[in-house]
């Protein structure tokens, strides 16, 4: 966290507060749909979790649980795991094996994220994008992903045998859709800033972000790392450093605003748990 905070402070110290005001002035009321953008992929994350539970678990309450956990993971600086104790607390209402489900879900989350990261790097390599050594990143990511496939298959045979393979494949497919939809975030923020972007430029920026997120996953929330990656990618495309700074700023604010909204369903779930004597009651 200290490393990420130092990176973020060092990056933002290069720009004046006028750039902050200009960024929000350019985005204007478009900030509202940007904040709500995560609602596009939230149902797919909820579907992923439901496939790991007993049939019929998919519900609005499960969606609130996924939103709450995702928000807490963003707000609590714990390497993206800050919301998992909350998930574990509420999963017993859906399954008798909450720990196995939690580990399976996080494994699928990381596995799908790595898939989109190395796939993006491979596309950058094939299209000759500048910036990072895309070929090496793509091959390394593919090797790690295959290793993850072997480890996940063995873990399923040993720990998750009660979960049918078909439902695990459905969970992975849903999480892959979610990860793919999240690619729209960077493009939507740039459109709100009034920056024209080609598909190749979009690919370069998003792949740089995913590569940084994969390589520096130990830094909580990608603090400073994501902003640095976005700034470098924009410069590689010939855009001004100010555009890269504004992109990172608006993206970070969008995530924080969505996560703060996610505390509301978390409070509702906690209220329901207390009401029913400590047992979560899925609808």
């Amino acid at each position: 966290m200290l490393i990420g905070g130092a990176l973020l402070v060092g990056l933002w110290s290069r720009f004046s507060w006028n750039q902050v005001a200009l960024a929000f002035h350019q985005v204007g009321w478009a900030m509202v749909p940007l904040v709500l953008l995560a609602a596009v992929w939230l149902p797919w994350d909820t579907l992923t979790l439901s496939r790991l539970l007993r049939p019929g678990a998919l519900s609005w309450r499960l969606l609130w649980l996924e939103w709450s956990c995702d928000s807490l993971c963003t707000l609590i600086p714990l390497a993206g795991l800050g919301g998992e104790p909350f998930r574990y607390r509420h999963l017993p209402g859906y399954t008798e094996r909450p720990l196995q489900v939690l580990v399976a879900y996080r494994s699928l989350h990381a596995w799908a994220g790595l898939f989109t990261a190395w796939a993006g790097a491979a596309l950058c390599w094939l299209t000759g994008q500048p910036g990072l050594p895309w070929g090496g990143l793509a091959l390394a990511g593919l090797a790690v992903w295959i290793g993850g496939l072997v480890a996940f298959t063995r873990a399923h045979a040993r720990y998750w045998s009660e979960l049918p393979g078909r439902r695990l494949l459905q969970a992975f497919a849903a999480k892959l859709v979610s990860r793919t939809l999240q690619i729209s975030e960077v493009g939507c923020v740039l459109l709100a800033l009034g920056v024209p972007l080609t598909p190749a430029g979009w690919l370069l920026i998003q792949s740089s972000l995913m590569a940084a997120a994969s390589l520096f996953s130990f830094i909580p929330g990608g603090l400073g790392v994501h902003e640095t990656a976005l700034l470098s990618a924009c410069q590689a495309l010939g855009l001004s450093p100010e555009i890269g700074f504004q992109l990172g700023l608006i993206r970070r604010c969008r995530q924080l605003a969505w996560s703060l909204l996610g505390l509301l369903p978390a409070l509702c779930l906690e209220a329901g748990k207390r009401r029913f004597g400590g047992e979560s009651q899925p609808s």
Side-chain angles (χ1 to χ4, degrees):
M1 185 175 180
L2 291 175
I3 294 173
L7 280 173
L8 188 63
V9 171
L11 177 67
W12 284 6
S13 64
R14 295 166 50 186
F15 301 92
S16 68
W17 284 102
N18 291 334
Q19 291 299 322
V20 176
L22 181 60
F24 283 102
H25 176 72
Q26 289 176 322
V27 172
W29 285 104
M31 194 68 194
V32 175
L34 283 179
V35 169
L36 301 177
L37 184 63
V40 174
W41 55 80
L42 176 62
W44 293 97
D45 288 333
T46 308
L47 180 60
T48 299
L49 183 58
S50 72
R51 295 297 89 189
L52 303 177
L53 303 172
R54 58 175 175 260
L58 187 62
S59 65
W60 282 105
R61 190 178 184 85
L62 192 66
L63 185 142
W64 294 350
L65 176 59
E66 179 58 35
W67 186 6
S68 303
C69 295
D70 180 68
S71 299
L72 292 170
C73 284
T74 300
L75 295 172
I76 299 175
L78 196 63
L81 299 174
E84 298 313 319
F86 186 87
R87 191 192 307 276
Y88 180 78
R89 173 173 165 81
H90 287 270
L91 275 179
Y94 298 92
T95 177
E96 297 177 353
R97 299 174 178 269
L99 183 59
Q100 288 89 335
V101 169
L102 189 152
V103 174
Y105 179 83
R106 292 304 307 187
S107 300
L108 288 172
H109 177 83
W111 197 28
L114 185 59
F115 180 89
T116 54
W118 75 255
L123 287 173
C124 286
W125 180 25
L126 293 173
T127 56
Q129 299 301 317
L132 298 175
W134 298 114
L137 287 174
L139 293 176
L142 177 59
V144 174
W145 191 82
I146 292 175
L149 173 61
V150 174
F152 190 87
T153 303
R154 295 184 64 181
H156 173 258
R158 185 170 181 179
Y159 301 109
W160 308 322
S161 55
E162 73 281 358
L163 293 174
R166 177 177 58 84
R167 291 181 70 86
L168 278 174
L169 287 175
Q170 291 173 347
F172 176 71
K175 177 57 75 170
L176 198 58
V177 171
S178 169
R179 288 289 203 171
T180 303
L181 289 174
Q182 291 177 37
I183 295 175
S184 65
E185 181 186 39
V186 167
C188 290
V189 173
L190 285 172
L191 287 175
L193 288 170
V195 179
L197 194 65
T198 63
W202 193 339
L203 173 65
L204 173 61
I205 294 176
Q206 184 63 38
S207 298
S208 298
L209 179 61
M210 291 189 295
S214 300
L215 293 173
F216 298 96
S217 58
F218 58 90
I219 294 183
L223 193 65
V225 173
H226 293 180
E227 286 78 6
T228 301
L230 292 172
L231 178 63
S232 301
C234 286
Q235 289 181 302
L237 286 172
L239 300 174
S240 67
E242 288 76 16
I243 293 298
F245 166 72
Q246 292 174 352
L247 171 59
L249 173 68
I250 297 298
R251 178 179 177 271
R252 183 70 67 176
C253 290
R254 186 210 70 76
Q255 292 177 337
L256 289 175
W258 173 255
S259 298
L260 289 173
L261 287 175
L263 296 181
L264 297 176
L267 291 173
C268 292
L269 290 174
E270 281 298 298
K273 192 173 182 67
R274 289 193 299 269
R275 177 184 175 187
F276 291 102
E279 291 293 331
S280 180
Q281 298 291 324
S283 56

